[in-house]
Structure formats: C-alpha cells, structure tokens
Amino acid sequence: MRSPAATVLVVDDTPENIELLDGILSTQYRVKVATNGERTLQIARSDEPPHLILLDVMMPGMDGYEVCRKLKEDPRTRRIPVIFITARSDMEDERRGLQVGAVDYITKPISPPIVEARVATHLALVDQRIALESNVRERTLELTEALDALERERREHASATARADYLLSFDTVTGVANRHDFVMRLERTADRVRRAKQRLALVSINLDRFHMVNAAHGEQFGDRLLRAVAQRLGQCIRATDLLARIGPDEFVTLLSEDERLSGDDLPSAAAELGERMLAAVRRPFELRDTAVAGPIEVTASGGVTLFPDDGDEPLGLIKRLQAATIHSKSSGRDQISRYSPTLDANLGHQLQLEQRLRDALRNRVLEVYFQPKIRVSDRHISGAEALVRWPDGQGGFISPSEFVPLAEDTGLVVALDRYVLETVVSNASLWRAVAQYGVRIAVNLSAASFGSRDLLQVTRQVLDAAPEPVCLEFELTEHTLLGDVQSVIHRLHALREMGVTLALDDFGTGYSSLAYLKRLPFDVLKVDQSFVRDIETDAEDRAIVGAILALAKRLDFKTVAEGVATTRQFEFVESHGCDEVQGFLFSPALPGGEFMALLGKPAVPA
C-alpha cells in the first residue's frame, strides 16, 4: 500500500462521480479535485503536483484528450501518469487515449476494486521509476537489483490486471459468472447455435422474497445464503453448462443442444432441470456460525425460454425469461413457467397492479375487515383478527392471494402493514368511545415490517395518536422471527412494554416451534387451521391439536384455534381447553361497522 502522502487528482465535471471516487481513494491517499481542464493544468503545474491524475474524457470546454496532450507536452507535467475514466469502451477511443499519453483506462460504471487496483499499480510504477532513475544515476552497480524489483512490480501489475479481469467476469459474492459474462457467452453461443440450426434453453431461478431475508437478517447473512444457493444450483447442472448470477436474487443457466441432448428433448430437459433446481433450493439451509437460530427455508420461482423459438436476440430472451419468472411468482411461487407470448400481457398486468396498489395505499381505498374471535367459555366476542380487503371498483374484491404476494415482492408490504395498523387502532378507539366496549384486535405483521428499524417507533406513534386506549395484538409467524435471537427477544419485549400482546401464528407448521416457545415472550398460541380442518376425520390431526393445546396450557399460553367451521370441531377444541376460536362457524370477516354491532352480544353459530 502506498504512503498516505501520495496525491491523486480527480478530474470530473459530475459531482456524483467526484464523490464516489473520493470515497474510494480518500482512505489511502490525499485527493484533490478539478472540474475542468484549465484548473487541472494549474494544479499539475503547481509546486505540489499530484502523483497521479484520474481524468474524465468527456468534459465541457477542454476535453480529456486535450488536457492529456497539454500535460505530456509540458516538461513539468509529462511524467505524471494519467488514467482516463470514460463510459466509452470503443477500441478507437482507447487507441486515441494511449496516443496522447494516458497509461490506462477505467470504464464506467465505476468499480471500486478496479479503481483501487489501477491506482495502486500506477502509483507503485511511479515509485519504481523514480527509484530506478536514482539507482542508475547514483548506484550503477546495483542495476541488477533494480531490474529484479521492476520485475516484481511487473508481476504485481499482472496480478492486479488478472484480478480486474476476474471482476469483469465473475460475481464477487457467489463466484459464479456475472451478468456481463453471461450475456457475452449467450451471444457467442447463440451465434454458434444459429449457424448449426440448433436450439438452446435458458433456465432462471429467482429466490422468493429474498429482500425479506436481507431485511430480517442483514446483507451479510443474505450473501452467505446466496453462496449456499449457488453451490446447490451448480450441482444440478452439467459441467459444460454455464451458471450465472444476473440479479440480486436471480440465477440463470444456459443449456445448449449437443450430441447428448437433441433439440426435440431440450424443452423437457430444461423443465426438468428447473424442477431439480427448485427442489435443491427448497431443502432447508443450515448456515453455521450465524446468529440465526435453526434452519432457513426459502423457495424460488423460475422460467424457461428457448432459442430461437422465443426470439433470436439474446437480450430479448432474457426479458422473456424474466416475464416467465414473474408469472411463476404471481401464480403462487415455487414453480417453473415456460415463456409464452401471453406472459407479456401478464407482466404488464403485474406492473399495472403494482401501480394500482401504490395508488390504493396512497388514496386509502383499502378496507380492513375483522374476523371475530369467540371466547369458548361464554361464547362472547373477545377480539378479532384484522384482514385487509381491496375493492375492485365493481362490487367485488381483488383476492389477497394476488396482491399480498405482490406487496411482499415489491417491498410495499411494510406500507400495507402500517396502513392496516393505523386503521385497526382508529376503529378500536372508536368502538371504545361509541360502544363502550374494548376488545383485542390482532394485526398480522410481515417479516419485513418486524425487521424494519422503525417498527417500535411507528407502533408507539400510532398507539399514542389514538383518542382512546387500544388493546393491540401482533400475530407473528416463525418465519418472521428467524434472525438474531437476542435482537428478536429485545424487540418482542419492547413491544410488550408498550402493551402489545404477542401471538405466535401458524404454530406447528415450522421447524423450531418448541424452541421459540421456550425462549421468546409470547402471550398467545394460534393452532393453525391446517390441523383443525380435518380433526373430524383425521386421527393424526386430532392428536396434534390435542398435544398443542395441552402443551400451551402447561406453559400458560392463551390458545386460539383457527378455521373452526363446524360444531364438532368446536366441541373438540373446547374439550381440550382451547380459550378462543375463530372461523366460519360463528362469523366470516366483517366490515368495522358490522363487527361493532356484535360487540357485547353472545355469538351464535352461523
């Protein structure tokens, strides 16, 4: 590493580029700045000239080529190395730059590792040149040693260049090919396949809700998960196939026709490969040496496109591949979709639906319904679960199964959760003021909302703004809570100190339920409706529900059975000590006004 005394002059007329380069270099060097050619020449000819100049090619007035030419014509500045920074990558531009005296090129967009490597290399070369000249003048007998040092520097330069070449072709997080390399390989392969009148297939794998993993556990954990995913995907493909990471959570492989795989078999082979890759991702990940307790479960969605069936232009194929992947996500995730032209319309629908959801949140047209929770002991309403509804403008509703996953994938789920929270607190406060009746209202909290930095602040603000006290409950799933255990515990305790009741939702469907019950401060345990649904006919479900209720009683948890739709189901959970039930036996979810009208009255089976 060069001494911090080295000075680098950054020349650019764009403040954003100056700020970026200053951030990369200022920890190791003194950085001076010029925004035009005249100021550059003035600084270079001063008593304290820079050791190296990073020079933008395109500037108003005197451009980079002219500035470099003037520097090389002046004996005072001709030895200062100049590295051009340019968005151009044409060979003619590079040849022209080298002709006027530049020593190197850095292309935009700027890559910090490349900047660091190139600057360090050329500053070291300056040092070596000065040292060599001094040795020639003063120590001719030490010429051999100086030449050896120069060779070492040459090897270091070659190493830095190799590292830069690596960064151009490989993803630094996972080690697989990056988007740039994949597109180049795809173009070359497409040319070969076109000449041979063959076919090739692209198979994409896009992790579902990966942004929620980063939000809940941090980007460092997310990177470890990506590496583990890439390793599994690499085991699914042939040694001759290419695996690349072309997006934050998106991988793609290139499957080409050869002597072992005919063009007719390619579509089915691509689909089978996609299913194998989904299955590989679906297996729980055990990431050791992390603060996350227990295995991590993720799923992925994918797409398949064929060349030339779906298009003969590589970038167009990638766009169609992404349309197929989006279709998989919108159709329920954890599946592979083959591209068809109708998916372009579906992609447009998804984009339109996303904008409509943003507008609905902004204009507050979403509605919150309340499904009553019935106290088993006296059949009175003890609370409700808040469920969001989106009117479609034609007397019906857009299905939550359509817009909730969209909200999660686009990051709108945090705004959606806050919208529901504010609506619930407003309604509950009104009921207490008008009906003189207070009940506990539960809000489902997504992993993204629970992991957000301002959760506690937002919750406090919403509760403090209510005219009347509100009994608020947050329903959380195990997936929501996977993260740094101490941080999760701290956050849960902070919510309880605000008076928020905590319920563990979908109990029994995950991997670490008993561990959570032991360590985390929950008040309520909800028995998942998937177990309740078949207790009349399935002995195993009866045993599971009975065991959960018994365990909850021993641990002093309140219990709620979801999805109670028949009298026999109600009688079963009642006989096993369940505290509350919710389901269609007593009531579906109701608008706020209809729910308020039921408060204080005995619940009657529908």
Side-chain angles (χ1 to χ4, degrees):
M1 182 182 297
R2 187 178 175 87
S3 167
T7 300
V8 178
L9 174 59
V10 174
V11 184
D12 202 304
D13 63 328
T14 303
E16 291 81 2
N17 292 339
I18 292 175
E19 182 179 357
L20 175 58
L21 290 168
D22 181 73
I24 296 171
L25 300 171
S26 60
T27 58
Q28 300 184 58
Y29 314 105
R30 287 201 304 264
V31 177
K32 292 184 177 180
V33 173
T35 58
N36 56 59
E38 290 75 9
R39 179 57 179 163
T40 302
L41 296 174
Q42 183 182 8
I43 295 174
R45 293 165 180 168
S46 68
D47 293 336
E48 294 183 4
H51 298 87
L52 183 142
I53 299 175
L54 297 181
L55 180 59
D56 187 25
V57 171
M58 301 302 295
M59 293 187 299
M62 190 187 307
D63 66 12
Y65 297 122
E66 181 63 14
V67 173
C68 187
R69 186 184 63 78
K70 289 182 178 293
L71 288 170
K72 298 308 174 183
E73 289 176 350
D74 191 335
R76 295 170 294 176
T77 58
R78 67 175 52 163
R79 290 182 176 272
I80 302 174
V82 175
I83 299 177
F84 275 140
I85 296 180
T86 179
R88 298 179 175 179
S89 58
D90 190 88
M91 291 296 296
E92 180 59 26
D93 294 325
E94 184 173 349
R95 183 190 64 78
R96 180 184 176 190
L98 295 175
Q99 282 182 339
V100 299
V103 297
D104 210 340
Y105 258 72
I106 297 175
T107 58
K108 298 178 182 178
I110 293 170
S111 169
I114 292 177
V115 172
E116 291 173 351
R118 301 281 174 88
V119 169
T121 296
H122 288 291
L123 285 174
L125 288 172
V126 170
D127 287 346
Q128 188 57 56
R129 186 200 70 210
I130 295 172
L132 182 60
E133 290 176 350
S134 175
N135 287 340
V136 169
R137 290 192 305 267
E138 301 175 12
R139 301 180 183 88
T140 305
L141 296 179
E142 298 177 5
L143 178 60
T144 301
E145 180 181 350
L147 291 174
D148 289 342
L150 184 61
E151 176 59 20
R152 287 195 301 273
E153 187 61 39
R154 187 198 65 77
R155 289 197 297 269
E156 291 176 4
H157 177 66
S159 176
T161 301
R163 174 61 178 167
D165 291 341
Y166 176 87
L167 294 174
L168 285 175
S169 299
F170 293 93
D171 174 50
T172 57
V173 173
T174 63
V176 302
N178 60 19
R179 184 183 182 91
H180 174 268
D181 186 65
F182 176 77
V183 172
M184 302 231 358
R185 294 272 291 273
L186 175 59
E187 290 175 342
R188 292 197 298 269
T189 306
D191 286 341
R192 175 180 59 80
V193 169
R194 186 184 293 109
R195 290 193 299 270
K197 297 183 178 180
Q198 293 178 333
R199 306 165 84 188
L200 63 85
L202 302 184
V203 182
S204 72
I205 295 294
N206 190 294
L207 297 182
D208 295 327
R209 304 173 181 173
F210 180 69
H211 67 279
M212 296 173 66
V213 174
N214 280 336
H217 313 312
E219 292 187 3
Q220 185 176 9
F221 178 85
D223 287 348
R224 291 195 61 177
L225 179 60
L226 286 171
R227 286 191 287 273
V229 169
Q231 183 177 14
R232 287 192 188 176
L233 296 180
Q235 295 170 352
C236 296
I237 64 176
R238 302 175 302 179
T240 55
D241 296 330
L242 173 68
L243 178 67
R245 180 185 176 210
I246 64 172
D249 52 8
E250 184 176 8
F251 296 86
V252 63
T253 186
L254 185 62
L255 188 65
S256 56
E257 180 180 348
D258 56 28
E259 66 278 0
R260 295 168 297 171
L261 181 62
S262 70
D264 292 338
D265 295 333
L266 192 64
S268 60
E272 291 171 3
L273 173 60
E275 293 295 341
R276 289 200 305 274
M277 297 172 88
L278 289 186
V281 174
R282 200 179 294 128
R283 299 198 313 270
F285 288 87
E286 291 277 4
L287 301 181
R288 302 184 182 277
D289 302 322
T290 70
V292 177
I296 296 297
E297 294 179 86
V298 295
T299 60
S301 302
V304 173
T305 56
L306 297 178
F307 174 92
D309 308 51
D310 301 326
D312 60 1
E313 196 275 318
L315 292 180
L317 276 178
I318 294 176
K319 290 181 180 179
R320 292 175 173 84
L321 186 67
Q322 291 170 335
T325 302
I326 290 173
H327 176 72
S328 294
K329 287 182 178 290
S330 65
S331 300
R333 303 188 181 91
D334 195 20
Q335 57 186 288
I336 290 286
S337 297
R338 168 79 166 85
Y339 171 79
S340 68
T342 59
L343 297 188
D344 291 329
N346 179 65
L347 177 58
H349 170 72
Q350 289 295 306
L351 293 174
Q352 183 184 50
L353 189 65
E354 177 185 346
Q355 185 57 51
R356 289 178 59 194
L357 180 57
R358 293 181 187 277
D359 293 339
L361 286 167
R362 182 168 51 252
N363 298 324
R364 306 191 70 82
V365 300
L366 299 175
E367 299 178 5
V368 176
Y369 276 44
F370 300 87
Q371 183 169 41
K373 294 181 180 179
I374 309 302
R375 191 165 45 241
V376 173
S377 61
D378 61 7
R379 311 299 201 268
H380 277 67
I381 293 176
S382 56
E385 178 180 355
L387 301 170
V388 65
R389 297 288 185 262
W390 184 3
D392 61 7
Q394 299 177 357
F397 295 94
I398 298 173
S399 171
S401 64
E402 183 175 7
F403 72 84
V404 172
L406 176 67
E408 292 172 340
D409 289 335
T410 58
L412 290 173
V413 71
V414 175
L416 181 61
D417 285 350
R418 178 161 184 171
Y419 180 95
V420 174
L421 175 61
E422 292 173 345
T423 305
V424 163
V425 170
S426 175
N427 276 268
S429 180
L430 176 66
W431 300 334
R432 183 178 288 273
V434 175
Q436 299 296 308
Y437 204 94
V439 290
R440 188 178 72 251
I441 308 298
V443 173
N444 291 282
L445 204 61
S446 67
S449 292
F450 183 77
S452 64
R453 295 181 179 180
D454 60 352
L455 170 66
L456 300 178
Q457 179 184 356
V458 167
T459 304
R460 171 58 66 192
Q461 288 175 348
V462 173
L463 289 174
D464 287 347
E468 298 287 339
V470 171
C471 298
L472 179 65
E473 178 174 294
F474 281 153
E475 293 189 4
L476 306 161
T477 64
E478 291 181 28
H479 175 74
T480 303
L481 300 167
L482 287 177
D484 175 44
V485 176
Q486 293 304 318
S487 175
V488 168
I489 291 174
H490 170 76
R491 183 162 292 201
L492 292 176
H493 276 297
L495 289 169
R496 291 186 78 189
E497 290 173 2
M498 296 182 196
V500 178
T501 303
L502 302 174
L504 182 58
D505 198 8
D506 297 341
F507 181 76
T509 60
Y511 279 81
S512 307
S513 298
L514 294 179
Y516 282 120
L517 284 181
K518 181 179 178 181
R519 302 186 65 181
L520 303 181
F522 286 103
D523 305 291
V524 180
L525 191 66
K526 297 195 72 175
V527 183
D528 187 68
Q529 61 181 330
S530 63
F531 300 125
V532 175
R533 183 184 305 117
D534 296 323
I535 57 177
E536 296 178 51
T537 58
D538 192 315
E540 290 184 354
D541 281 346
R542 286 196 296 272
I544 291 172
V545 173
I548 292 174
L549 292 173
L551 174 65
K553 186 174 182 179
R554 291 285 299 272
L555 295 176
D556 199 28
F557 287 99
K558 282 186 174 294
T559 51
V560 180
E562 298 179 312
V564 175
T566 69
T567 301
R568 291 183 62 186
Q569 291 171 351
F570 177 84
E571 291 172 347
F572 180 87
V573 297
E574 179 185 31
S575 68
H576 285 76
C578 187
D579 297 302
E580 298 174 334
V581 299
Q582 66 181 92
F584 287 133
L585 174 62
F586 289 98
S587 176
L590 302 170
E594 294 181 29
F595 176 75
M596 184 178 69
L598 298 178
L599 294 177
K601 301 176 183 178
V604 179

